[in-house]
Amino acid sequence: MQATREALRVTAGGTLTRDAFDARQAAREDLPELLMAWQSGPRRPEDLTRELEVIETRMRQVARAQAAGQDRETQARARYLRDKYAPGDSSDD
């Protein structure tokens, strides 16, 4: 569930991308439904673990993709500012 929380955090406030939709759906529907199904009937622990791992894997993918996109945006913004305000400076810091 921590991976879902992180995916929600990194997709908050932006446009509704597939990643943002998946994160919100996992938090609002998939996880609660999975836990309710687990509580309501006899199930093997390994089934719950396997299903949670599927959601966790997707949420980690979402968080990584969003972090990479934010990193690219930050680098592009820094390059733009260097090119605009310090065109002769070739430092990469």
Side-chain angles (χ1 to χ4, degrees):
M1 289 193 207
Q2 185 175 353
T4 302
R5 184 177 28 241
E6 180 63 14
L8 285 169
R9 187 188 68 75
V10 298
T11 59
T15 58
L16 185 59
T17 63
R18 181 62 197 204
D19 287 346
F21 177 82
D22 285 352
R24 292 172 191 167
Q25 188 173 32
R28 291 182 185 154
E29 296 175 24
D30 298 334
L31 285 168
E33 287 174 7
L34 178 61
L35 295 175
M36 283 177 40
W38 170 257
Q39 293 172 344
S40 67
R43 298 185 58 168
R44 299 180 315 190
E46 55 271 11
D47 292 339
L48 176 64
T49 301
R50 187 175 24 259
E51 292 168 356
L52 288 172
E53 286 173 350
V54 169
I55 294 172
E56 180 181 24
T57 297
R58 175 64 181 132
M59 294 302 101
R60 288 184 191 278
Q61 291 170 346
V62 167
R64 279 194 302 270
Q66 293 297 312
Q70 290 170 355
D71 188 45
R72 284 190 302 274
E73 287 177 18
T74 299
Q75 290 176 8
R77 191 175 312 111
R79 271 192 308 277
Y80 165 77
L81 291 173
R82 278 194 309 270
D83 290 348
K84 182 175 181 176
Y85 294 109
D89 184 11
S90 62
S91 66
D92 288 330
D93 48 348

